Amino acid sequence: MEMRMIKTFQTIVKLGSFQQAAEALQYSQPAITQHIQKLEGDLGVKLIDRGKKIKLTEAGKIFYARADQLLKEYEYLTNTISDIQQGQAGYVRIGVSEPTASHRLPAILSSFVEKNPKIRLSIRIGDSKLLNELVVDEQLDFAVCPSPETSLDTEFHPLLFEPMALLLYNTHPFAQATEIHLQDLKGQSFLFTPPNCPIRIRIEQLLAEKIDSDYQGIEISNIRSHKYYVQAKLGITIAPIATISPAIPGTVIQAIADLKVGPIVGVLRKRNTPLGTASEKLMLDIRTALLQSNLYVPEFELPSKLALP
C-alpha cells in the first residue's frame, strides 16, 4: 500500500470526484482510477461506490477516518529517518569517567543539545574498566575516559592531560608548605579510589618508588567525594586538579614538585565498528572541546602524543 494511493483516496473524498482529484494532484484520470483500484486490491475491500456521485462504503468511511493519521505518521517517519541519516536525530549512548563527567561534559552536552534537539542521549558514568566492557558489548557507542588496559576489541584516542595535585585539610602540617615532594609524604594517611582505578595504580607506583609502603590508606570509590573526607580530616588525597578544584572550606590544594604525571583522557570506541551519524557528530564536539581545554600547565609536562591531529 503506497502513501500516494492513500493521498489520492483522501483527495477524491474531499473534492467529491475523480476528475477534480486528478486536476488537484496533477495526475491523469486513468492514473487516479488505477490508484483506487490498487488500494482496494491491497486492502481486499471496496472503498468507493462509483456513480454520478461518489459514495463511501462502510469500509471506505472507516479508512477515510484514519487516512489523515496514516499520512501524518508516514510523514513523521519519513522526516525522522531523514533526520537520522543527516545526524539531526537519533539515540546516542556514551560513557564517561570522572572528573570529565561532572567538570567538562555538561557544558559540551548543553551546547550539543541546543543545536540538536531531536537527538536523545544516554550517559553512563563509570571507571575505564567498566566503560571498556560496555563499549565492547556495544551497550555504549563510545566513551570518554582515561586509557583502559590494552584491548584488541577497542581503540583509544588521547585528547587531554589531567594534571594532579595534593589536597590537604587546612590544619595539616603541609598546608602552608612552600614546596612538597613525594618523599615528604611518608607516614601519611591517603584516600584512594578502588584498586582497579588507573589513577590509584599510578599514584601507588609513584609512592612505592619514593617511600616504599610507608603510608596508610582508606578506600573511597567516588573520587569527587574525596574532598569532603579530607575536609573531615580522614586523610589526604592525590587527585586530578579538575576533581578537587575549587577547594572547599577547610581544605587546601598544593602542588607536588616532582609529580609530573596524570591520567590521559580520550575517546574509547570499539575497533572496526562504524558509529551512527549522530554519535559521530557528538564525538567530534567532545573531541574539539577537550583539545581546546588542553591548556599547558607550567608545573606539568604534557606528553608529546597529545599533539596528535
Side-chain angles (χ1 to χ4, degrees), residues 62-167:
I62 295 172
F63 190 77
Y64 181 70
R66 292 288 298 165
D68 266 339
Q69 188 62 31
L70 285 170
L71 291 171
K72 286 177 181 176
E73 288 175 359
Y74 177 76
E75 182 180 6
Y76 171 79
L77 182 60
T78 301
N79 290 338
T80 299
I81 290 174
S82 176
D83 287 342
I84 290 173
Q85 290 173 333
Q86 297 174 32
Q88 297 175 358
Y91 181 44
V92 182
R93 307 161 303 163
I94 67 171
V96 61
S97 63
E98 294 288 7
T100 304
S102 300
H103 184 65
R104 297 184 179 92
L105 192 64
I108 298 172
L109 293 184
S110 177
S111 174
F112 181 81
V113 169
E114 185 177 354
K115 293 183 292 184
N116 303 277
K118 296 180 182 179
I119 295 178
R120 295 188 299 131
L121 300 175
S122 172
I123 303 158
R124 178 70 180 269
I125 299 175
D127 60 32
S128 298
K129 184 176 183 295
L130 172 63
L131 298 180
N132 188 73
E133 292 171 356
L134 295 175
V135 168
V136 170
D137 290 342
E138 298 187 9
Q139 295 182 48
L140 295 175
D141 299 318
F142 65 92
V144 183
C145 59
S147 176
E149 294 182 8
T150 304
S151 169
L152 295 176
D153 297 312
T154 55
E155 55 187 36
F156 180 76
H157 302 275
L159 298 173
L160 177 77
F161 172 63
E162 287 278 15
M164 296 197 293
L166 181 66
L167 183 69

Side-chain angles (χ1 to χ4, degrees), residues 143-278:
V144 183
C145 59
S147 176
E149 294 182 8
T150 304
S151 169
L152 295 176
D153 297 312
T154 55
E155 55 187 36
F156 180 76
H157 302 275
L159 298 173
L160 177 77
F161 172 63
E162 287 278 15
M164 296 197 293
L166 181 66
L167 183 69
L168 313 113
Y169 43 92
N170 59 5
T171 57
H172 191 281
F174 294 154
Q176 303 304 319
T178 55
E179 187 168 283
I180 301 171
H181 294 82
L182 287 167
Q183 65 182 17
D184 299 326
L185 302 178
K186 283 184 179 180
Q188 295 295 318
S189 178
F190 287 91
L191 307 178
F192 289 119
T193 47
N196 61 351
C197 173
I199 294 176
R200 174 175 176 174
I201 292 171
R202 187 61 182 129
I203 290 172
E204 291 205 291
Q205 287 173 342
L206 292 171
L207 293 177
E209 293 171 7
K210 300 293 184 178
I211 59 176
D212 295 324
S213 58
D214 190 4
Y215 60 89
Q216 299 175 351
I218 300 175
E219 190 173 300
I220 302 170
S221 62
N222 187 337
I223 196 168
R224 293 195 68 83
S225 67
H226 281 203
K227 61 175 71 177
Y228 302 104
Y229 288 80
V230 172
Q231 184 185 52
K233 302 182 180 180
L234 286 168
I236 63 178
T237 188
I238 299 174
I241 293 175
T243 303
I244 55 179
S245 181
I248 62 174
T251 66
V252 175
I253 297 174
Q254 287 274 43
I256 300 177
D258 53 346
L259 181 65
K260 306 284 187 183
V261 300
I264 304 297
V265 176
V267 170
L268 180 73
R269 58 183 295 178
K270 190 168 184 180
R271 196 180 300 276
N272 300 322
T273 302
L275 296 179
T277 307

